Amino acid sequence: MNNTLTRAQVEQLVRASLSRQAGASVSSAPSPLVVNSSARHCHLSPAAVETLFGKGHTLTPMKSLYMDGQYAAKETVTLIGPRSRVISNLRILGPCRDLNQVELAYTDSISLGFDIPVRNSGDIAGTPGCMLMGPAGFLEMEEGVIRAAPHVHMHPKDAEYYGVENKSYMKLRVGGELGVTFDRIFVRVDPAFKLEVHIDTDEANACGLGKGVQCELIK
């Protein structure tokens, strides 16, 4: 039998010891940690959906995502970048938002031939734009194409457990043969959120993220 403690187990024991010394009750994590790879996609406003798919059109949910109320829509668009380079079948995620935003990986930016900055969702000022093409028309985006910064969604109870606040940063340690630590995981706290980390496909491939790979959030 292997009695060697992992680093995560040692840290949990230290936290428990400190809590006992402070007279506080020892509690386990309120939620299991989920780390998902986010493929390229876009978020659209209701007006943008009508421009691309026709007046009165609304998104058709195809597959529910881990976060409650979020889904991959049946609808896709074609992204037209610099020098008419394209990405076909870009998935739309719903429900609709107040702004239009395209989230790509670094390899996508190389393929399209332009520089895409790393930004938190919604922070699109000064970012590149693109053209989106749907079955009913074109949408010209003056800005809104980003590489989404690695981030974690969490409920306030999770934030209390980890000792972090909204818009702070954490680290994500990924184990396995290609173990990597991400130093800047942006924290988003909301009562509607489940505990879930999002990294893009390039980042997931680089660290070998897959079934059975152990991950740990660190303050």
Side-chain angles (χ1 to χ4, degrees):
M1 179 180 295
N2 185 0
N3 293 320
T4 303
L5 292 175
T6 66
R7 184 184 179 92
Q9 289 171 324
V10 170
E11 291 178 349
Q12 181 65 33
L13 289 172
V14 170
R15 284 195 293 268
S17 176
L18 291 175
S19 295
R20 285 193 296 271
Q21 292 175 26
S25 60
V26 179
S27 61
S28 58
S31 308
L33 175 61
V34 174
V35 180
N36 280 325
S37 170
S38 182
R40 61 194 183 204
H41 62 272
C42 64
H43 301 280
L44 299 176
S45 68
V49 170
E50 289 194 343
T51 297
L52 293 163
F53 295 93
K55 189 170 180 60
H57 189 93
T58 57
L59 295 177
T60 307
M62 181 183 68
K63 179 183 179 181
S64 295
L65 303 180
Y66 181 72
M67 200 69 61
D68 292 339
Q70 306 294 308
Y71 59 86
K74 181 179 179 181
E75 291 83 1
T76 63
V77 293
T78 297
L79 184 156
I80 304 172
R83 296 186 292 279
S84 298
R85 297 180 182 179
V86 303
I87 290 179
S88 301
N89 299 316
L90 181 67
R91 185 68 57 188
I92 303 171
L93 299 189
C96 287
R97 297 188 178 182
D98 294 333
L99 55 78
N100 302 312
Q101 178 175 286
V102 174
E103 298 181 27
L104 304 176
Y106 181 59
T107 49
D108 295 320
S109 70
I110 295 174
S111 175
L112 289 169
F114 66 159
D115 185 28
I116 301 173
V118 177
R119 294 285 185 89
N120 291 313
S121 182
D123 181 14
I124 63 173
T127 59
C130 69
M131 182 81 74
L132 297 182
M133 181 177 69
F138 292 85
L139 175 69
E140 184 173 358
M141 293 175 52
E142 294 184 358
E143 60 185 8
V145 183
I146 66 170
R147 292 170 56 198
H151 57 279
V152 56
H153 300 272
M154 60 174 61
H155 188 275
K157 290 183 178 179
D158 299 308
E160 181 180 2
Y161 172 79
Y162 285 105
V164 295
E165 298 179 348
N166 188 43
K167 297 184 179 180
S168 59
Y169 287 90
M170 301 186 72
K171 295 183 179 183
L172 175 71
R173 181 180 294 128
V174 182
E177 295 181 352
L178 298 173
V180 168
T181 297
F182 293 90
D183 288 334
R184 288 177 61 82
I185 302 293
F186 187 68
V187 177
R188 294 182 178 272
V189 181
D190 191 279
F193 288 164
K194 293 181 179 179
L195 183 60
E196 181 184 22
V197 175
H198 283 162
I199 59 177
D200 69 24
T201 49
D202 283 356
E203 293 156 351
N205 289 336
C207 69
L209 183 69
K211 185 177 180 180
V213 173
Q214 296 296 314
C215 299
E216 179 188 9
L217 275 174
I218 307 166
K219 183 178 178 181

